[in-house]
Amino acid sequence: MKRYLILILFAIFFSSCGDNDKKINNIIEIEDDKEEEDGGGAEVAESQAYGADISWVTGMEKSGVKFYNEKGAETDCFALIKEMGGNTIRLRVWVNPSTDVSNGMCDKTDVVAKSKRAAALGMRLMIDFHYSDSWADPGKQNKPAAWKNHTLEQLKSDVADHTTEVLEAIKAEGVDVEWVQIGNETKDGMLWDDGRCSTNPANYAALTKAGADAARNVYPNVKVIVHINNGWAYWTPEWIVDQLKAQGAHNAYDVIGVSYYPSTLSGEKDAELLNITTWQDGNEAIASNAKNWVKKYNKKVMVVEFGYANDKLKEAQECLSDLIDKTHDIEGFEGILMWEPECHKNWNGYGLGLFTSEGKPGVAFKGK
């Protein structure tokens, strides 16, 4: 008995002398190996965000779409994201959208309702402001109809007022917002043509700052994201953040958010130029870029959109697990969010959902 007590005391002593982290890491690695042998997936880092944008969910529910867990029991979609290992929900918001279930909804009322559902499950929350009445992306950044003829000063007020109105409505329900996107895939700015970065970089910076200031006024600790597509092509995000820095708006955001759809790399010219032909290449590029941007810009980095060909779910799982492994220990890496994974049977023509044809989750967050 005395020998056991002495051994325990020695263990406590040495753990207090700096080896504790190493011992814990060794234990985790052993447990991970066992979990992989059992066919399961290890838990991802609690501090990082893993989850999904499921903004379509209310439209899908309205259309009669059902979702099921692995046992075939009908299950709430938000709960399924949590069962997949997710801890975060991302929701887009449009200014004055139509009521169309595919290309509308996502207004303030809809976003508040979904925010409450996420919060009820203890999920973290990101709000993605498009500053449009419908889709904003690299190919289009259309102003809301109500803002169409507004001057730059009016647009700055529009952005601030809309951001404030939506976030205050969410906050009034007792829901916290951890991240806010100021614009969606703003490869060349937003609210064209006034806020097009290639021709009016100062305007884009001013609009970004207006949205960021408004978000921080409602949620002082919120992390503001600038979101750019093609996160594997380092020059695409770097160009936009360099423009913001040149215009004195480097402090307007906290996180460089990127989109990453590895199964579509074959159709990308920039991927060919960078010799990125496989998802393995793409994952390496994402990890490398993240490390470089954290150091170069002193910003956090996050994959805010991830999707994969729905007919290759096994490959999608391999890619996602590998991406988690490669980014898990990168200081300043915020996490990975899927984009509309609940889509199945090519709902609304979207073929990069990550559920099976039976409406069950087809992948899960598995990594180190």
Side-chain angles (χ1 to χ4, degrees):
M1 179 63 72
K2 288 181 179 179
R3 291 181 63 188
Y4 286 124
L5 287 173
I6 291 170
L7 287 171
I8 291 169
L9 288 171
F10 265 91
I12 293 171
F13 173 76
F14 283 115
S15 69
S16 66
C17 294
D19 289 338
N20 193 43
D21 289 342
K22 185 176 181 181
K23 293 176 189 298
I24 291 173
N25 287 338
N26 288 338
I27 292 169
I28 290 173
E29 288 173 5
I30 292 169
E31 289 177 346
D32 286 352
D33 289 341
K34 181 180 185 300
E35 198 164 20
E36 288 175 1
E37 288 172 5
D38 293 340
E43 292 294 327
V44 294
E46 289 184 5
S47 62
Q48 291 177 327
Y50 295 97
D53 185 320
I54 54 171
S55 301
W56 257 329
V57 68
T58 43
M60 296 178 78
E61 290 170 344
K62 191 174 181 179
S63 301
V65 177
K66 306 291 185 182
F67 307 99
Y68 303 90
N69 64 19
E70 291 183 359
K71 295 181 180 180
E74 186 177 336
T75 305
D76 174 68
C77 188
F78 288 80
L80 287 175
I81 299 302
K82 195 168 185 177
E83 288 183 14
M84 292 162 67
N87 58 21
T88 300
I89 294 294
R90 175 184 186 246
L91 300 170
R92 63 178 165 269
V93 59
W94 291 326
V95 179
N96 291 306
S98 71
T99 57
D100 180 73
V101 295
S102 301
N103 301 303
M105 304 183 71
C106 297
D107 62 358
K108 179 182 71 175
T109 301
D110 186 36
V111 169
V112 169
K114 288 181 288 195
S115 297
K116 291 169 64 178
R117 291 172 65 177
L121 290 171
M123 306 285 272
R124 300 158 77 181
L125 186 63
M126 179 189 298
I127 300 299
D128 172 16
F129 286 94
H130 282 230
Y131 301 115
S132 183
D133 290 334
S134 189
W135 306 103
D137 54 46
K140 57 183 178 299
Q141 295 284 336
N142 300 322
K143 295 177 187 174
W147 306 358
K148 185 176 181 180
N149 297 315
H150 287 189
T151 64
L152 176 63
E153 289 304 311
Q154 289 174 312
L155 288 173
K156 286 162 61 178
S157 294
D158 292 333
V159 166
D161 292 345
H162 173 61
T163 303
T164 300
E165 180 183 358
V166 172
L167 294 181
E168 283 187 342
I170 295 172
K171 190 173 185 178
E173 297 295 335
V175 177
D176 187 39
V177 174
E178 190 168 346
W179 302 271
V180 165
Q181 269 190 223
I182 304 301
N184 188 76
E185 292 191 323
T186 54
K187 178 182 179 180
D188 193 14
M190 60 188 185
L191 293 166
W192 291 348
D193 284 318
D194 294 77
R196 187 186 286 269
C197 192
S198 56
T199 53
N200 297 301
N203 290 2
Y204 169 59
L207 291 167
T208 299
K209 191 174 186 302
D213 288 347
R216 289 166 176 160
N217 284 337
V218 181
Y219 290 103
N221 296 320
V222 75
K223 285 173 276 190
V224 175
I225 299 173
V226 169
H227 174 206
I228 308 101
N229 63 309
N230 293 356
W232 41 266
Y234 68 90
W235 52 59
T236 302
E238 286 192 10
W239 182 80
I240 202 75
V241 298
D242 285 343
Q243 295 300 313
L244 288 172
K245 186 174 184 178
Q247 298 301 325
H250 186 67
N251 293 327
Y253 69 101
D254 309 288
V255 182
I256 298 171
V258 299
S259 297
Y260 178 41
Y261 294 94
S263 60
T264 66
L265 288 170
S266 61
E268 295 283 354
K269 183 178 180 181
D270 284 354
E272 294 179 9
L273 293 173
L274 290 165
N275 198 30
I276 297 174
T277 60
T278 67
W279 65 258
Q280 289 90 343
D281 297 332
N283 286 6
E284 290 284 354
I286 291 288
S288 176
N289 291 345
K291 291 176 186 176
N292 291 338
W293 295 335
V294 169
K295 183 177 180 180
K296 181 177 181 179
Y297 297 107
N298 194 28
K299 301 292 182 182
K300 295 181 182 297
V301 178
M302 188 175 197
V303 175
V304 297
E305 292 187 13
F306 173 92
Y308 210 97
N310 185 255
D311 59 349
K312 298 178 180 178
L313 291 178
K314 184 178 183 296
E315 191 173 288
Q317 181 66 76
E318 292 172 354
C319 175
L320 180 59
S321 295
D322 179 74
L323 183 62
I324 292 170
D325 285 345
K326 282 184 168 56
T327 57
H328 184 275
D329 297 324
I330 297 175
E331 184 177 357
F333 187 78
E334 285 278 276
I336 303 166
L337 304 183
M338 304 171 185
W339 196 83
E340 302 287 9
E342 78 280 15
C343 289
H344 55 282
K345 297 180 181 177
N346 288 337
W347 192 84
N348 199 34
Y350 183 62
L352 303 179
L354 298 171
F355 275 37
T356 69
S357 59
E358 292 82 22
K360 303 176 182 180
V363 300
F365 288 103
K366 300 177 183 179
K368 275 191 168 184

